[in-house]
């Protein structure tokens, strides 16, 4: 039973752990791509949340200024325009709120994709580690067998010479 069955370039024997290296590289690449997508999704979610906070602050400032303007004397047309602007600002806030929810959902999906990719990479790494440990044990057994075989041959040679 050989742990090294496949043959690589040049006809040399390729260990099972080495055959998994391309898989490990591909899975690692996928994990890095997922991590980059997660970082971008996180940035978009933060930007959308920040924009919502800015709009909310602007609306609060603008609405608080209404009472002062009315008290100082404001025409009916200006009051109507002021209220219309507040209504448009409210619509913008609702739209931005939807964008925030969408960005957060996309971020959560990206986080889950990254988590799964990281889990796959870790699993492949563990499989490769187990294969390498098996290969070490097989190598150590082979060395021990060869050492025992040489000792036996030397012992037989000494017995024949005496």
């Amino acid at each position: 039973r050989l742990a090294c069955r496949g043959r690589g370039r040049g006809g040399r024997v390729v260990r099972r752990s080495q055959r998994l290296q391309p898989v490990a590289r591909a899975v690692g690449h996928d994990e890095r791509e997922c991590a980059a997508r997660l970082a971008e999704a996180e940035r978009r979610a933060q930007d959308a949340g920040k924009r919502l906070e800015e709009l909310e602050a602007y609306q609060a400032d603008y609405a608080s200024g209404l009472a002062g303007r009315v008290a100082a004397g404001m025409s009916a047309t200006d009051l109507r325009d002021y209220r219309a602007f507040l209504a448009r600002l409210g619509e913008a806030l609702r739209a931005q709120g939807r964008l925030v929810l969408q960005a957060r959902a996309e971020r959560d999906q990206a986080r889950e994709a990254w988590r799964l990719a990281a889990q796959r990479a870790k699993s492949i790494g563990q499989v490769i580690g187990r294969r390498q440990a098996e290969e070490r044990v097989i190598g150590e057994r082979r060395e021990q067998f060869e050492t025992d075989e040489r000792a036996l041959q030397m012992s037989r040679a000494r017995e024949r010479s005496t």
Side-chain angles (χ1 to χ4, degrees):
R1 293 186 308 159
L2 288 175
C4 313
R5 294 188 182 151
R7 296 228 176 246
R9 293 184 189 141
R12 66 175 164 69
V13 176
V14 178
R15 297 178 187 270
R16 291 169 68 190
S17 63
Q18 291 172 327
R19 287 188 307 216
L20 289 173
Q21 289 302 324
V23 175
R25 281 192 298 276
V27 169
H29 178 73
D30 289 347
E31 180 187 7
R32 287 186 299 279
E33 283 185 352
C34 286
R37 283 193 293 272
L38 172 58
E40 180 60 25
E42 183 65 42
R43 186 195 58 75
R44 283 193 306 270
Q46 288 177 353
D47 289 349
K50 186 176 179 182
R51 176 74 175 135
L52 179 62
E53 290 172 2
E54 291 169 354
L55 285 172
E56 288 170 339
Y58 185 64
Q59 181 190 39
D61 288 346
Y62 204 77
S64 68
L66 176 62
R69 288 184 177 213
V70 169
M74 182 180 220
S75 71
T77 304
D78 288 344
L79 180 60
R80 185 191 69 224
D81 290 346
Y82 206 90
R83 288 186 176 159
F85 180 75
L86 279 174
R88 285 194 306 276
L89 194 52
E91 290 171 18
L93 277 167
R94 286 187 290 281
Q96 188 64 31
R98 288 189 296 273
L99 286 174
V100 167
L101 291 176
Q102 180 182 351
R104 288 177 180 166
E106 289 171 1
R107 177 202 57 205
D108 292 345
Q109 289 174 346
R111 181 179 290 125
E112 181 62 14
W114 169 76
R115 187 188 66 75
L116 291 172
Q119 187 176 34
R120 279 191 300 273
K122 181 180 178 185
S123 295
I124 290 294
Q126 289 172 339
V127 168
I128 290 172
R130 282 194 303 273
R131 296 291 185 261
Q132 289 171 337
E134 290 170 4
E135 291 162 0
R136 267 192 308 278
V137 167
I138 289 170
E140 289 168 359
R141 286 180 184 162
R142 186 179 309 117
E143 286 177 22
Q144 184 63 48
F145 175 77
E146 290 169 359
T147 301
D148 292 349
E149 190 65 27
R150 277 192 298 270
L152 182 61
Q153 288 173 359
M154 288 172 51
S155 173
R156 286 181 184 162
R158 268 188 251 127
E159 287 176 7
R160 283 187 215 132
S161 63
T162 54

